[in-house]
Amino acid sequence: MVNRHNTGGIIVVTDNKKGKSIDPLKEIGTISVIKRMVLTYQQVNISPITIVGEKDTLYDLERELADYNVIFLKSDEKENSMIDLVKIGINFLKDKCEKVIYSPVVIPMFKMATLQKIVQSESTIASPSYRKKAGHPVLLSNKIYEYILDSEYGMKDTIRSLMDEREFIEVKDEGIIRS
């Protein structure tokens, strides 16, 4: 029997081709965006934490996070979509975790309290909702890993196709940043 952790983490790092990404090494206050995300995951006992991206985008992040006990999963492909990178993370974590939290690095500012509420969900999919707008991070249970791995759609459309199984966790005045 596999000894599974309760919740693992996937942080997706994409290239800034469409201007939708921010530099994960950018400092907000005294800490980089990527460190802030990893520390927030760690405060909620998410483990293991994977950072997934194209190998060219991860070199500096590996140095930045050398002492943070994270796993880097690199794609050799160029121009990966969000779902391609999430699939790499799920493939790695599927036998290790009952559920995973994923967020693109473009959404670095969510509070520990928001993440705790999401992790506690027993739903197949859960995400924060602020003023009826869905956001990140997103919880994915092991019940849909294979569905995601087999999906031919983008991540947003794959999640939308599971709308009946999605729980929106209302958060108030917590500064949710929407995707």
Side-chain angles (χ1 to χ4, degrees), residues 105-120:
V105 78
V106 72
I107 314 288
M109 302 296 287
F110 45 84
K111 292 186 176 185
M112 186 178 76
T114 299
L115 193 54
Q116 284 175 323
K117 289 177 185 177
I118 296 165
V119 168
Q120 292 169 357

Side-chain angles (χ1 to χ4, degrees), residues 120-156:
Q120 292 169 357
S121 173
E122 296 298 321
S123 296
T124 303
I125 301 176
S127 60
S129 174
Y130 180 68
R131 296 183 181 170
K132 300 187 189 221
K133 303 282 185 180
H136 283 277
V138 177
L139 175 91
L140 307 169
S141 86
N142 62 350
K143 296 173 191 166
I144 59 168
Y145 291 170
E146 290 305 319
Y147 180 81
I148 292 170
L149 291 171
D150 293 338
S151 179
E152 295 178 16
Y153 302 106
M155 196 65 198
K156 193 179 278 189

Side-chain angles (χ1 to χ4, degrees), residues 114 117 129-131 169-176:
T114 299
K117 289 177 185 177
S129 174
Y130 180 68
R131 296 183 181 170
I169 298 172
E170 186 68 31
V171 290
K172 296 181 178 159
D173 301 317
E174 292 189 24
I176 294 299

